[in-house]
Amino acid sequence: MLVERAYAKLNLTLDVLGRRDDGYHEVDMVMQSIDLSDLVWVGANRSGTGTSSIHISSSSLQMPLDERNLAYVAAEAFLKRIPLQRRGPLAVEIEIEKHIPVAAGMAGGSADAAAVLRGLNRILHTGMSLDELADIGASIGSDVPFCVYNGCAIARGRGEILESVSHECRAWAIVVRPPVFISTPDVYHALQPGDFTTDPLSRAMVELLQQGDFSRILQHITNGMSRAAEALHPEVRAYRERMEATISQPVFMSGSGPTLFTLAPSLRRAQRMVNALRGFIREVYLCRFV
Ligand code: C5P
C-alpha cells in the first residue's frame, strides 16, 4: 500500500455568474489548499475471484463506504480508463484516515477521490499526467480536478476549469465547522438573481495574494452563496456573528458551507483566535495555506 495526502480547501472568493442549462452553475472562484488533510492509503492486488473489486475502510463513521463515497467512484473511474487486458482483474483496497470535516464545504470527499486517482496511478505505474487525472476527476465531481493539483487556483466553469496561481502568502486560517448539515444542491437551488454577479473578484484576489497584502486579502474575501446558505440555515449566520463579535474581525463561509473561517498573518494571532472560539465551538482548526 502507499499513502497520499488529501488536502482540504477554502474558497477565498466564490462568485456565481448564473445558472446553466445543464443544471449546474457557472462559478468563478479562488480555491486555496490548507494543511488540514486526510491520509488515503491505496493498495491494488491481483484479484483471486476473476473480477475487480473495490473495498473502502475509514476511521470516520460519518461517511458511506460504498459506491456513494467519492473515493469509490474515483477508483471505479480510474479502472475504467485502463484496458482490462493490460491490468487484469484487481482488488483495490482504500483506507481513509479522516481529519477533514465531512460535508462541510471544504472538499473533503473530493480530496479523497483525487488522492485515490494519484495513488492508483502510482501503484499501478500507469504514468498518467496530473492533467489526465484531473480529466478523470471532472467526471467525479466539480471540485475533484482542483484537488488533483492542490495549491492555489482560479476555478471556472462548474469549478473544473483551472488556472493555476503561484503566490508566497502563507497565511494562517482559523477554520470552524458549526454543527449544521447543509446540502450543496439546496444552497445552489436557493440562489436568487441578486446573488449572481458579472464582475468576479478572483483576479483582484490573486494580485493581493501575490503582493502578500494580508489586510486587503481579508477585506476581499467573498462568497456568493453565503446569503442563500444563511437564509436556509439561520444558525450559520448566528455562528458567524458570534465569531465576529468574539475575535473582532470578519468571518467567511467556505464553499456552500457550513464551514466558517478567517485568516491571521501570524501564528500568535491565530492561536489567540482559536482559544477564544473554543469557548463556544467544539470543532476549531488551526491551519495554514499549502
Ligand atoms: O459536481 P458536484 O457533484 O460536486 O455537484 C453537486 C451538485 O451541486 C450538483 O448536482 C449541482 O446541483 C450543484 N452544483 C451546481 N453548480 C456547480 C457545482 C455544483 O449547481 N458549479
Side-chain angles (χ1 to χ4, degrees):
M1 282 192 128
L2 52 74
V3 68
E4 286 282 337
R5 205 171 268 281
Y7 292 102
K9 61 89 183 163
L10 294 174
N11 289 97
L12 299 182
T13 68
L14 194 174
D15 288 305
V16 187
L17 309 186
R19 203 162 272 142
R20 314 194 324 187
D21 292 338
D22 62 2
Y24 283 90
H25 289 74
E26 195 70 13
V27 294
D28 181 301
M29 50 195 184
V30 175
M31 317 256 268
Q32 171 68 54
S33 301
I34 53 172
D35 63 358
L36 177 59
S37 60
D38 295 340
L39 288 180
V40 180
W41 295 83
V42 178
N45 293 305
R46 191 159 281 283
S47 163
T49 65
T51 53
S52 291
S53 63
I54 299 162
H55 181 257
I56 304 187
S57 53
S58 171
S59 59
S60 167
L61 302 175
Q62 288 175 295
M63 50 181 201
L65 300 176
D66 53 20
E67 62 283 350
R68 290 169 293 170
N69 193 310
L70 289 188
Y72 187 104
V73 180
E76 216 171 26
F78 188 91
L79 293 186
K80 265 200 202 130
R81 288 280 176 119
I82 323 169
L84 184 63
Q85 308 90 290
R86 199 170 126 206
R87 61 171 164 82
L90 291 172
V92 173
E93 198 65 39
I94 298 166
E95 282 175 29
I96 304 174
E97 187 185 310
K98 199 78 200 150
H99 299 285
I100 306 172
V102 174
M106 297 171 79
S110 303
D112 294 346
V116 166
L117 296 177
R118 290 194 308 263
L120 283 174
N121 192 38
R122 272 172 62 205
I123 206 163
L124 296 172
H125 305 288
T126 335
M128 281 192 229
S129 66
L130 290 184
D131 291 352
E132 288 172 279
L133 297 180
D135 186 52
I136 303 176
S139 69
I140 302 166
S142 305
D143 286 342
V144 180
F146 172 76
C147 296
V148 166
Y149 302 99
N150 293 306
C152 182
I154 300 180
R156 301 197 177 88
R158 59 182 170 88
E160 87 287 19
I161 302 170
L162 299 173
E163 180 188 329
S164 155
V165 170
S166 68
H167 68 77
E168 299 299 318
C169 177
R170 290 292 169 266
W172 295 87
I174 298 91
V175 179
V176 161
R177 196 233 189 276
V180 181
F181 177 78
I182 294 189
S183 142
T184 299
D186 286 357
V187 180
Y188 270 113
H189 198 73
L191 291 174
Q192 293 175 359
D195 296 317
F196 300 148
T197 177
T198 50
D199 198 14
L201 295 169
S202 53
R203 192 58 61 197
M205 175 57 81
V206 165
E207 277 167 25
L208 295 173
L209 287 165
Q210 288 171 337
Q211 290 158 12
D213 190 337
F214 178 81
S215 54
R216 294 192 60 217
I217 291 170
L218 200 59
Q219 285 165 12
H220 276 74
I221 299 174
T222 47
N223 186 332
M225 298 179 83
S226 295
R227 188 213 55 81
E230 292 187 356
L232 285 176
H233 301 277
E235 317 92 279
V236 175
R237 179 172 176 186
Y239 275 108
R240 178 175 59 76
E241 289 178 347
R242 186 156 179 207
M243 287 172 68
E244 288 176 335
T246 305
I247 59 177
S248 308
Q249 75 171 50
V251 168
F252 310 91
M253 198 176 82
S254 180
S256 56
T259 290
L260 297 168
F261 73 99
T262 192
L263 303 179
S266 71
L267 178 57
R268 240 167 62 106
R269 291 236 322 248
Q271 264 168 338
R272 221 179 300 143
M273 288 189 234
V274 166
N275 291 340
L277 294 171
R278 287 223 167 106
F280 64 98
I281 303 187
R282 198 171 59 89
E283 273 192 78
V284 185
Y285 303 89
L286 176 52
C287 314
R288 202 168 195 201
F289 287 3
V290 173

